Amino acid sequence: MLEINDIVVRYGRREVIHGLSLTVAEGEVVTLVGSNGAGKTTTLKSISGLLKPVSGSITFDGKRIDTMQPHDIIAHGVVQVPEGRLLFPDMSVAEHIELGAIRARTEGRSYSERVDWIHEMFPILKERREQKAGTLSGGQQQMLAIARGLMANPRCLMLDEPSLGLAPVMVDQLADAISSLHEAGISILLVEQRVDLALRLAHRGYVLETGKVVLEDKAETLLDDPRVKAAYLGA
């Protein structure tokens, strides 16, 4: 479904991604693991079209998307929920949900079906639909960020550090939501600071170091790998 082939990405003259390749199959949950500065967010931004690789290719459903504009990539079915949520504090919950549908993929659930689905997954958003996003709790804001992404009708959803700053009970709810999205048939590419959580949710994982993939395996295998344990799990 999603295939990244040997991409090189630069910030100015500085090369930050060095020949990176990865795949996400249809209906699969894949996680990117690595320390701060490893290139995880840069990889997601490259898929989203916010950064353009200087070489290599990114394809989705067999079509090159690395030459597309970000809004066309969204309409094609690839949607990113950014790190830090990037909500508009003075806009209401309902306005964010409407905003997410502007460049939506035309196939799949209708607008009303997506709204009902989101309200079923995150009932608090229905209760707070007129409330400004800036007044929501951190967990509620993350729910809204995901809901906004889902309104674009994605086939592949990229989540960048969704548990950042959340209380443990909210992390559990987030994990349940990611599992529900997988069960609904959405492919997920997950970047998550809680490596143990990411590997328990994913089918496969890639470990990035300084812009390169240094390990790739089934998630359960990586979870037991002594190198991963030592570097990310404190074992």
Side-chain angles (χ1 to χ4, degrees):
M1 178 181 250
L2 176 66
E3 183 173 352
I4 301 176
N5 183 34
D6 201 29
I7 63 167
V8 173
V9 182
R10 293 176 182 151
Y11 286 115
R13 295 183 178 180
R14 184 168 65 94
E15 187 173 298
V16 292
I17 299 293
H18 319 288
L20 184 146
S21 297
L22 65 82
T23 60
V24 181
E26 188 164 4
E28 190 177 34
V29 181
V30 173
T31 186
L32 299 183
V33 172
S35 58
N36 290 338
K40 305 184 300 297
T41 294
T42 299
T43 300
L44 298 193
K45 286 183 175 180
S46 300
I47 298 168
S48 294
L50 300 174
L51 294 170
K52 295 298 182 183
V54 297
S55 63
S57 64
I58 304 174
T59 60
F60 183 74
D61 241 5
K63 181 180 291 187
R64 287 280 295 268
I65 63 172
D66 53 281
T67 57
M68 294 181 181
Q69 293 300 311
H71 59 271
D72 292 324
I73 294 173
I74 291 172
H76 200 55
V78 183
V79 177
Q80 180 178 353
V81 178
E83 179 182 1
R85 299 146 200 163
L86 301 186
L87 302 176
F88 299 94
D90 292 328
M91 286 178 57
S92 70
V93 168
E95 287 171 332
H96 277 88
I97 290 174
E98 291 173 11
L99 181 65
I102 288 178
R103 294 289 185 175
R105 183 172 63 94
T106 54
E107 298 86 359
R109 291 181 173 91
S110 68
Y111 179 90
S112 61
E113 287 172 336
R114 277 173 275 154
V115 172
D116 290 344
W117 181 42
I118 286 165
H119 286 164
E120 182 179 350
M121 185 178 301
F122 303 122
I124 191 67
L125 297 183
K126 185 175 184 179
E127 294 178 23
R128 305 291 175 88
R129 63 185 314 276
E130 301 303 329
Q131 189 169 328
K132 290 184 178 181
T135 67
L136 299 173
S137 70
Q140 292 164 0
Q141 288 185 10
Q142 187 59 63
M143 291 176 189
L144 181 56
I146 294 173
R148 180 180 58 185
L150 292 175
M151 285 303 295
N153 219 0
R155 294 181 59 204
C156 180
L157 186 69
M158 301 187 293
L159 301 171
D160 194 358
E161 302 286 10
S163 80
L164 189 64
L166 300 188
V169 65
M170 294 306 304
V171 174
D172 290 342
Q173 291 184 30
L174 174 67
D176 290 342
I178 293 173
S179 296
S180 295
L181 295 175
H182 166 241
E183 290 169 4
I186 296 176
S187 301
I188 297 171
L189 182 55
L190 173 65
V191 168
E192 173 52 54
Q193 60 173 347
R194 300 180 189 232
V195 174
D196 56 339
L197 172 66
L199 291 174
R200 292 184 195 285
L201 288 170
H203 298 100
R204 293 187 300 111
Y206 294 84
V207 179
L208 272 60
E209 290 182 4
T210 59
K212 295 180 180 179
V213 173
V214 295
L215 283 173
E216 172 193 351
D217 216 321
K218 293 180 180 178
E220 59 187 14
T221 303
L222 291 175
L223 197 55
D224 290 331
D225 191 299
R227 293 165 294 180
V228 175
K229 287 183 175 181
Y232 307 109
L233 302 177

